[in-house]
Amino acid sequence: QVQLVESGGGSVQSGGSLRLSCAASGLSVTSYCMGWFRQVSGKEREGVAVIERDGSRIYADSVKGRFTISRDNYKNFLYLGMNSLKPEDTAMYFCAAAYYCGSSYNPQVRYWGQGTQVTVSS
């Protein structure tokens, strides 16, 4: 059974930092294109960043230079480092696994986590 379990969300002031974690089981983080999405209530869920099987990374323009996606292959964890946070980063953040990402940071997702809330105050 595949499970993706996020942690590390919380409340932070504008300009602060957080690191989100995703514990994967039932799949290897090296066997899929892994990614992070975010969603605000009433809006579409949008891709934030992905890391391909070969380790290449793609970021949404809105987070480029501020966020870093990474993985620990041995622990089977996915991470999202977030720096210089802005109020517009406030959202529920979801860990996800896709078969293929190509050149897209917004791929078709096969497996979803349940999400962790990030709130950035001004």
Side-chain angles (χ1 to χ4, degrees):
Q1 182 176 344
V2 172
Q3 288 189 346
L4 302 173
V5 181
E6 302 95 334
S7 62
S11 182
V12 65
Q13 291 186 335
S14 181
S17 299
L18 286 172
R19 188 181 76 160
L20 306 183
S21 298
C22 172
S25 60
L27 63 79
S28 171
V29 297
T30 64
S31 297
Y32 287 81
C33 179
M34 303 297 298
W36 290 94
F37 287 65
R38 64 187 182 187
Q39 185 173 26
V40 179
S41 295
K43 296 184 178 180
E44 296 290 330
R45 191 172 297 185
E46 62 181 15
V48 175
V50 299
I51 180 167
E52 273 283 14
R53 293 178 66 253
D54 65 1
S56 60
R57 298 167 171 87
I58 306 171
Y59 297 91
D61 289 343
S62 60
V63 306
K64 194 172 298 181
R66 299 187 299 119
F67 289 14
T68 303
I69 187 170
S70 62
R71 67 191 183 202
D72 186 318
N73 299 345
Y74 182 76
K75 293 182 178 180
N76 210 33
F77 268 59
L78 182 74
Y79 303 100
L80 184 67
M82 303 183 292
N83 298 318
S84 301
L85 283 162
K86 306 174 181 179
E88 50 263 48
D89 295 318
T90 294
M92 185 75 74
Y93 282 73
F94 297 88
C95 178
Y99 289 126
Y100 178 73
C101 287
S103 60
S104 177
Y105 57 80
N106 195 25
Q108 184 173 2
V109 173
R110 176 65 177 89
Y111 300 108
W112 293 100
Q114 292 300 305
T116 185
Q117 179 68 37
V118 171
T119 302
V120 184
S121 61
S122 60

